[in-house]
Structure formats: C-alpha cells, structure tokens
Amino acid sequence: MHQPAAKLPPHTESRRIESLRAYGILDTPIEAVFEDITRIASAVCQTPISVINLVDADRQWFKSEVGLGVRETPLETSICAHAILEHDFLEVPDTTRDARFASNPLVTGDPGLRFYAGALLKTPDGLPLGTVCVLDTEPRTLTPEQVDTLRALSRQVMAQLELRRMLAEAHAVSEHRARVLASAGHDLKTPLRAALYAISRARVGASEAQLQKLDSAEQELTIVHQTFGELIASATGRGGFAPPALEVADVAPVVEQVGASWQRSAVRKQVAFEVRIEIAPCPARTHAGLLETLLGNLVSNAVKYTAAGGRVELVCRQENGLTCIDVIDTGIGMDPARVDGYFNAFQQGDARSDGLGIGLWIVRQTADALAADLDVASTLGEGTRITVRLPTS
C-alpha cells in the first residue's frame, strides 16, 4: 500500500492553505521568471525533471515544470506533500528503499521516479507552501553545491511571490503613503539623470575600451531610472492613490529623452530606431515624469520583442485636437483576442522573454493616472502600434 503523507495540525493546515491562496499564484499562466528557475534547477542538478510545486488542499499544482508535461497531479501521489513536513530540505536518494515512497504509483509505474530532492517554499511566518524540487529516474545524491543552489532557487521563488503580494497590497495603501512614495521616487530620479548626463559628457575623447564601460554603465543606470519611474507610477495609479498634478507642457522633450535612453539598446539588438517630432511645440496636459515612465515601458517592450533587422518608431503628432504619441514596431505582435490580458500584471507576450511582465500593467496604470487613452493595433508576427492620446488643454 502507498503510504500517504502525514498532515499538519488542522489549524496550521488551514492557515497554510489560506496563505497559499492569498498569493494569488495558483492556476496562473506560464511566466518566464519561473521557467528560468526550473531550467536552472534541472541544469545545475543534472536531472531530467524539475518543478516549482505548490501543495493545495487536494492537489499539487506546478507553477513551472521541466520534464513532466502536466501542470498538476493528485495530492495522493505527491512526494512534495511529504517534503513540506520537513524543516527545510528533503532528499530521497532511492525512492524504492524509502517506506514512504516505495509503493507510490509514480515510483512503481510511469515515470518510474527513483530520486527526489526538494527545497521548501516557506512564507515569512514559516508556513510551508510547496517546494522547488528535482527528480530523476535513477538513484543518486546531490552535491553540497547543488543543494545550496536548490535552496537559493526556492528563496527566489518566494521573493517573486512576495513581490506579487506586495504589488496587490499596494492598492490599499493610504493617500499619504502614496504621496511619500511618489515624492521619494522623483527625488531619487534627479541624481540618476545627472549621472546619465555625466556619462554622455564622458564619451567625448574616450577610448574604445572606455566607451564600452560607459555603455554598460549607461545601460544599468537606464534600467534603474526606469525602475524608479515604475515606483512612481505604482504610487499614482488606480486603487485610491493620490492623483498626479497635470499641467499643459511641451511633451516633445520627454519623447526625445525616452528615444535617447533606448537608442543604444536598439543599436545593440541591430534594430533600427527612429524618433520623429511632427509638430513643435507639441503641447499636452500631462505629468512629464509619469509620461516618461509610460513611454519608456512601451519603447522597452518594442525593442525587446523586435528581432534584429526590425524597426521601432517613436512619433509625436497631433490628431483631432489631441496630442498623439505612437510607438510602432515590427516585432512579434500580440494576439488581438488577448490584447486586454497583456495589460494585466505579470503577463507576457512571450513566456520565454526576460523581465517580470509588469511593463504593460505599469503602462495601463500610468495612462489611467494621466487621463490618457490607449489604442492598440497589433497582428501576430507582424508588429504592434500603440497610440497614447493626451488632451492638449
């Protein structure tokens, strides 16, 4: 007979399930950041199977898996259900020699599991949610370095889950906290702009080797600059946050700044990048810092999802009494039936891409804060055109 896993005390198990579901991760789509973790686990531990496993009330659900081909299995056959009762880490060198697993259908039948090692996914208050685990069809043991890597990857999974929960909880912060967060973000962006300007000045007369180092520094600072923009946007979007003060201003300098920030990234990808200001000045009622964040995310996505030899355009124009800013690319495009879904948090057009999938969510939040309309026209395999429409007064 297969030996079922022991259970936590009922009150602890109830808290555990409640905590797991509060993360809002169950039954979510495949995401690149978690796919990376299972690929790394499998490669480092040299196993054909690796899983990010979450133990629900009556099933084990896989946020990511390599080598299994399914997203969930019944709890009755779960090895991880035993693992979450361990303090930190469970390794089973040979499942046929372990009374808990010797008669498990996954051991006696397909796929014939012989080895298991899992590092616990644990909430800050110590509740076990599941594991990052690796499995093999041959008996074996992990090296200390492989065990350390598996533990590190489990910490990364929990960091991602905490990030998602904090993002959701951010919608409930008070107006005072939102204003403090936005103010801090703006203050921190000022020295970053100064540093980026200093790098551009340092290019004059620099050697080729120095230019490469300056390129690298500029790229890192650009990413930090964008991250602070996202911080500001998250503090001023929907959900009861303090609305930004909107003023009429020429947005052409903002468009040019965004173009300059992403020009070298496009060059590195061998993507043609053009910025066009079709009317000057180009007035709009907006907030310069938030508009920069919105456009930065759109251009970042356009460059990211456009292959070498493709083209990205950033255009500022006027149409029907509105100021329109277009971000046009010849990249992978979006499924027209799923366009709205791409603007949800942690959704990506390509699950294999890098990043967390919050760029378009930030765009939507920021557009709402700016009272701007977004229009998306896209075709899979052909490219995307996103238009931001702003009032001129």
Side-chain angles (χ1 to χ4, degrees):
M1 280 290 290
H2 167 53
Q3 180 176 331
K7 292 188 176 181
L8 296 168
H11 66 283
T12 304
E13 177 66 5
S14 176
R15 286 179 52 229
R16 188 189 73 79
I17 295 297
E18 182 180 0
S19 182
L20 170 61
R21 293 176 180 175
Y23 282 100
I25 195 70
L26 293 173
D27 300 308
T28 54
I30 291 172
E31 297 176 54
V33 66
F34 295 104
E35 296 290 285
D36 289 344
I37 287 173
T38 48
R39 282 196 295 266
I40 292 169
S42 185
V44 170
C45 297
Q46 299 180 352
T47 59
I49 301 170
S50 63
V51 177
I52 296 174
N53 178 63
L54 298 166
V55 179
D56 200 2
D58 56 2
R59 60 172 178 160
Q60 55 177 1
W61 182 79
F62 310 138
K63 177 58 184 171
S64 176
E65 58 82 20
V66 170
L68 279 183
V70 295
R71 295 296 301 277
E72 67 177 69
T73 59
L75 199 58
E76 290 77 15
T77 60
S78 172
I79 296 177
C80 288
H82 291 271
I84 67 170
L85 301 177
E86 302 292 324
H87 177 65
D88 180 57
F89 191 87
L90 173 65
E91 183 173 17
V92 183
D94 187 345
T95 55
T96 64
R97 295 176 177 269
D98 191 308
R100 294 171 296 179
F101 311 115
S103 58
N104 188 303
L106 299 178
V107 174
T108 59
D110 188 52
L113 299 177
R114 294 292 181 271
F115 168 78
Y116 172 92
L120 199 62
L121 297 173
K122 188 164 54 177
T123 67
D125 55 350
L127 293 171
L129 303 182
T131 64
V132 176
C133 61
V134 292
L135 305 101
D136 203 341
T137 54
E138 299 291 336
R140 54 173 303 173
T141 58
L142 296 183
T143 67
E145 292 78 15
Q146 289 169 330
V147 171
D148 287 344
T149 298
L150 213 53
R151 284 177 166 148
L153 292 175
S154 73
R155 291 193 294 270
Q156 288 303 309
V157 170
M158 283 310 305
Q160 290 295 326
L161 297 186
E162 286 296 323
L163 170 64
R164 282 153 170 72
R165 183 159 71 175
M166 286 189 288
L167 183 62
E169 290 175 350
H171 286 283
V173 299
S174 67
E175 180 176 320
H176 171 71
R177 288 183 178 181
R179 285 179 171 162
V180 169
L181 185 59
S183 175
H186 282 299
D187 290 345
L188 287 167
K189 286 182 76 173
T190 300
L192 283 171
R193 288 196 184 96
L196 285 166
Y197 177 71
I199 288 175
S200 68
R201 293 285 302 272
R203 292 180 181 280
V204 179
S207 67
E208 184 63 32
Q210 290 171 328
L211 284 174
Q212 290 179 0
K213 292 181 180 179
L214 289 171
D215 280 347
S216 178
E218 183 182 55
Q219 183 180 11
E220 294 300 323
L221 281 174
T222 298
I223 292 171
V224 173
H225 187 268
Q226 181 180 349
T227 300
F228 278 127
E230 292 175 354
L231 174 70
I232 297 167
S234 70
T236 53
R238 295 176 296 182
F241 295 130
L246 305 181
E247 298 178 350
V248 176
D250 181 12
V251 297
V254 176
V255 173
E256 291 169 341
Q257 173 62 41
V258 171
S261 296
W262 291 100
Q263 181 68 52
R264 267 181 280 275
S265 293
V267 170
R268 279 191 291 270
K269 280 201 69 179
Q270 300 179 7
V271 170
F273 184 27
E274 180 185 2
V275 178
R276 295 201 313 274
I277 308 296
E278 295 187 351
I279 181 171
C282 196
R285 185 174 183 79
T286 190
H287 183 285
L290 292 180
L291 181 61
E292 181 183 341
T293 294
L294 186 157
L295 296 178
N297 275 285
L298 289 179
V299 173
S300 171
N301 265 10
V303 172
K304 179 193 300 184
Y305 293 116
T306 300
R311 183 175 184 83
V312 173
E313 298 177 57
L314 177 59
V315 183
C316 185
R317 58 187 177 84
Q318 284 192 324
E319 178 183 281
N320 298 327
L322 298 174
T323 290
C324 300
I325 304 172
D326 303 311
V327 179
I328 309 162
D329 67 66
T330 59
I332 64 174
M334 305 181 194
D335 180 351
R338 297 179 55 210
V339 163
D340 287 343
Y342 291 130
F343 286 87
N344 294 328
F346 307 114
Q347 301 298 308
Q348 294 172 301
D350 183 352
R352 299 166 298 178
S353 65
D354 58 4
L356 298 177
I358 63 172
L360 290 181
W361 178 83
I362 290 291
V363 166
R364 175 70 74 191
Q365 297 290 304
T366 310
D368 287 347
L370 294 175
D373 289 330
L374 289 177
D375 182 62
V376 182
S378 188
T379 303
L380 280 173
E382 297 183 13
T384 299
R385 180 190 192 110
I386 298 182
T387 299
V388 181
R389 292 189 171 89
L390 299 164
T392 55
S393 60

